[in-house]
């Protein structure tokens, strides 16, 4: 074979190799890769938006993911919350489905933050909230993705798998919810939108590994979701229910709470606790709520703690509690004497360094002593980037 023929063979081989390589890389986006070691502490904020869903995922690498955006009336609260968390850029927004209590503030989120892409389920919906969101997507040049097959992506050290519906479920918006599983180190989180038991059954039939340490309970804890089979497949240590206080639907349903209790899951509810933050370094899991901090035992048997966590009630003189006792959450680990020793004289408000929320001194949800910062006035707290706690600051 002469030199020219050898050169031609080499060129053909090189072109074939490049084509094959490009094909593999193009398909990688929808195929989960092997586990990536965790790199720092990841936070998931289950924002208290009442009878609605909104979750912020903050990765230590600087990436941010927002899953759902509450109702229209939650816009200012969500915007302020995100800004207090230092969020200006959102890498991925996910609207699990088209109901207002999940995409209500998405239009404003897209207008007020730099959003790279948004994931939505297939199909249209006849509402002004949905239409306005579509206008905002176009106006702000956000990449819109409507997956019909499993869609995976990686941000920093976190891997995401989005499971779209494989049916239109006769137009039921709840069942077409995008389901998202996030893996970080050895820990997993599952976000379920408002899927009902029919969709849960279909997902189970798909053979997915649903086992997750933290579950965002489907459809605000409705009886029509959270089948025993689905919950056993997830087997969560922590279950978060995004639900509004005194809602008209009587949610979460007692039957759902009983199933979670039977599994040994610790249940955290926005209506009891306000904003809930789950932190993990890829191994340990901590849950922060109202100034309290729970360390969750993972892979070590079921936790023996209360299965339905409630905010610490403020003691009253009739119950034997003193005024100084009332300032300290029951689980804070700080004694009355320690608290008085560390108080700053003349402080009118007490802030939480982690959540950027400030409280009145008599609030039953004060932060642990080491997380406190003291302010002499409301103006000082707000100028420092803190917002008032909705239950104690008018």
């Amino acid at each position: 074979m002469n030199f020219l023929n050898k050169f031609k063979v080499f060129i053909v081989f090189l072109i074939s190799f490049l084509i094959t390589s490009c094909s593999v890389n193009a398909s990688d986006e929808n195929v989960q890769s092997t586990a990536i070691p965790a790199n720092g502490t990841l936070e998931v904020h289950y924002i208290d938006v009442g009878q609605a869903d909104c979750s912020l995922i903050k990765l230590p690498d600087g990436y941010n993911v927002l899953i759902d955006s509450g109702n229209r009336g939650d816009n200012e609260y969500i915007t302020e919350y995100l800004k207090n968390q230092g969020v200006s850029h959102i890498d991925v927004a996910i609207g699990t489905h088209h109901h207002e209590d999940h995409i209500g503030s998405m239009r404003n989120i897209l207008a007020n933050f730099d959003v790279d892409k948004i994931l939505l389920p297939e199909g249209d919906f006849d509402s002004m909230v949905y239409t306005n969101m579509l206008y905002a997507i176009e106006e702000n040049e956000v990449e819109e993705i409507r997956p019909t097959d499993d869609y995976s992506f990686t941000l920093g050290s976190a891997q995401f798998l989005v499971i779209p519906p494989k049916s239109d479920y006769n137009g039921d918006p709840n069942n077409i919810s995008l389901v998202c599983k996030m893996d970080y180190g050895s820990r997993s989180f599952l976000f379920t939108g408002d899927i009902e038991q029919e969709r849960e059954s279909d997902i189970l039939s798909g053979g997915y590994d649903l086992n997750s340490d933290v579950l965002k309970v489907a459809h605000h804890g409705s009886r029509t979701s959270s089948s025993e089979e689905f919950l056993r497949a997830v087997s969560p240590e922590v279950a978060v229910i995004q639900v509004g206080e005194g809602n008209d639907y009587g949610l979460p349903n007692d039957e759902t709470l009983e199933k979670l209790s039977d599994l040994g899951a610790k249940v955290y509810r926005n209506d009891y606790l306000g904003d809930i933050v789950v932190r993990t370094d890829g191994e340990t899991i901590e849950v922060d709520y109202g100034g309290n901090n729970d360390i969750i035992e993972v892979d070590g048997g079921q936790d023996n703690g209360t299965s339905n966590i409630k905010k610490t009630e403020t003691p009253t003189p009739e119950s034997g509690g003193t005024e100084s006792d009332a300032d300290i959450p029951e689980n804070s680990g700080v004694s009355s004497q320690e608290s008085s020793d560390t108080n700053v004289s003349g402080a009118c408000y007490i802030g939480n360094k982690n959540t950027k929320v400030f409280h009145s001194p008599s609030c039953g949800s004060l932060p642990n002593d080491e997380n406190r910062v003291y302010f002499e006035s409301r103006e000082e707290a707000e100028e420092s980037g803190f917002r008032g706690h909705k239950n104690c600051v008018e």
Side-chain angles (χ1 to χ4, degrees):
M1 183 181 293
N2 59 34
F3 173 78
L4 182 58
N5 288 336
K6 289 182 178 179
F7 181 74
K8 288 180 179 179
V9 170
F10 172 75
I11 292 298
V12 171
F13 172 79
L14 180 61
I15 292 173
S16 300
F17 174 78
L18 290 175
I19 291 174
T20 302
S21 299
C22 291
S23 299
V24 171
N25 290 335
S27 64
D28 277 350
E29 188 174 29
N30 292 322
V31 178
Q32 281 196 304
S33 55
T34 56
I36 301 173
N39 179 31
T41 299
L42 175 147
E43 299 179 355
V44 180
H45 295 244
Y46 299 90
I47 304 173
D48 181 14
V49 287
Q51 189 61 29
D53 273 19
C54 184
S55 301
L56 167 68
I57 302 171
K58 292 181 63 181
L59 282 81
D61 314 82
Y63 297 104
N64 298 300
V65 176
L66 185 72
I67 301 179
D68 288 331
S69 62
N71 283 298
R72 281 180 295 178
D74 300 318
N75 167 51
E76 291 186 7
Y77 184 79
I78 296 172
T79 298
E80 184 179 6
Y81 190 100
L82 297 185
K83 289 182 177 179
N84 284 338
Q85 290 298 319
V87 175
S88 59
H89 176 262
I90 297 173
D91 297 274
V92 179
I94 300 175
T96 58
H97 64 290
H98 306 325
H99 279 154
E100 182 190 335
D101 60 328
H102 289 255
I103 62 166
S105 296
M106 194 65 78
R107 172 190 183 185
N108 295 286
I109 295 297
L110 297 175
N112 293 322
F113 296 87
D114 179 20
V115 181
D116 286 347
K117 61 180 66 175
I118 183 168
L119 273 62
L120 299 168
E122 283 272 278
D124 289 323
F125 193 66
D126 184 16
S127 77
M128 284 303 299
V129 169
Y130 176 76
T131 301
N132 287 335
M133 178 187 66
L134 296 184
Y135 282 137
I137 291 172
E138 183 177 356
E139 290 172 0
N140 295 281
E141 299 181 345
V142 178
E143 180 184 357
E144 180 182 343
I145 299 173
R146 300 203 183 220
T148 56
D149 295 316
D150 294 346
Y151 180 89
S152 64
F153 61 94
T154 299
L155 291 175
S157 303
Q159 297 173 289
F160 297 80
L161 173 64
V162 177
I163 305 173
K166 303 301 192 291
S167 164
D168 65 0
Y169 294 95
N170 297 316
D172 177 8
N174 291 326
N175 268 329
I176 68 166
S177 293
L178 297 179
V179 172
C180 179
K181 184 180 181 185
M182 176 182 68
D183 292 319
Y184 185 73
S186 300
R187 303 295 152 231
S188 297
F189 294 70
L190 189 65
F191 303 86
T192 54
D194 277 358
I195 61 172
E196 306 281 3
Q197 292 187 18
E198 180 183 5
R199 175 75 187 286
E200 291 174 353
S201 178
D202 290 343
I203 292 175
L204 289 171
S205 298
Y208 296 97
D209 176 12
L210 299 175
N211 186 264
S212 301
D213 302 289
V214 183
L215 169 67
K216 198 292 296 182
V217 178
H219 205 179
H220 320 288
S222 170
R223 177 178 56 83
T224 57
S225 303
S226 300
S227 68
E228 291 183 9
E229 294 78 11
F230 187 81
L231 292 179
R232 282 200 300 268
V234 179
S235 189
E237 302 282 349
V238 172
V240 178
I241 304 179
Q242 297 218 262
V243 64
E245 183 177 4
N247 64 84
D248 295 335
Y249 311 100
L251 299 177
N253 185 269
D254 289 342
E255 184 178 328
T256 300
L257 294 174
E258 185 176 348
K259 292 176 187 176
L260 291 167
S261 178
D262 289 345
L263 284 173
K266 295 191 85 170
V267 176
Y268 296 83
R269 300 165 48 170
N270 288 128
D271 60 335
Y272 284 171
L273 308 172
D275 301 317
I276 298 165
V277 182
V278 180
R279 294 183 174 88
T280 181
D281 58 3
E283 291 293 338
T284 61
I285 293 178
E286 296 184 6
V287 184
D288 286 350
Y289 57 97
N292 296 308
N293 176 270
D294 287 351
I295 298 176
I296 306 300
E297 295 183 8
V298 184
D299 297 335
Q302 299 298 348
D303 197 295
N304 292 323
T306 306
S307 64
N308 200 17
I309 307 300
K310 290 189 178 184
K311 189 182 297 179
T312 305
E313 298 295 335
T314 303
T316 62
E318 290 78 6
S319 64
T322 65
E323 184 176 354
S324 59
D325 289 334
D327 290 346
I328 306 171
E330 182 179 294
N331 300 323
S332 67
V334 181
S335 68
S336 303
Q337 184 61 45
E338 288 173 330
S339 180
S340 61
D341 290 343
T342 57
N343 254 330
V344 176
S345 177
C348 295
Y349 294 100
I350 300 173
N352 186 322
K353 295 177 182 178
N354 293 326
T355 63
K356 296 291 186 180
V357 173
F358 68 91
H359 307 253
S360 68
S362 61
C363 181
S365 300
L366 293 177
N368 293 341
D369 193 66
E370 64 271 17
N371 293 328
R372 295 185 183 189
V373 58
Y374 298 89
F375 301 105
E376 295 183 359
S377 68
R378 177 172 184 157
E379 290 74 19
E380 181 186 3
E382 291 175 344
E383 288 174 1
S384 299
F386 285 68
R387 58 184 173 81
H389 187 250
K390 66 180 184 179
N391 292 333
C392 69
V393 178
E394 296 182 358

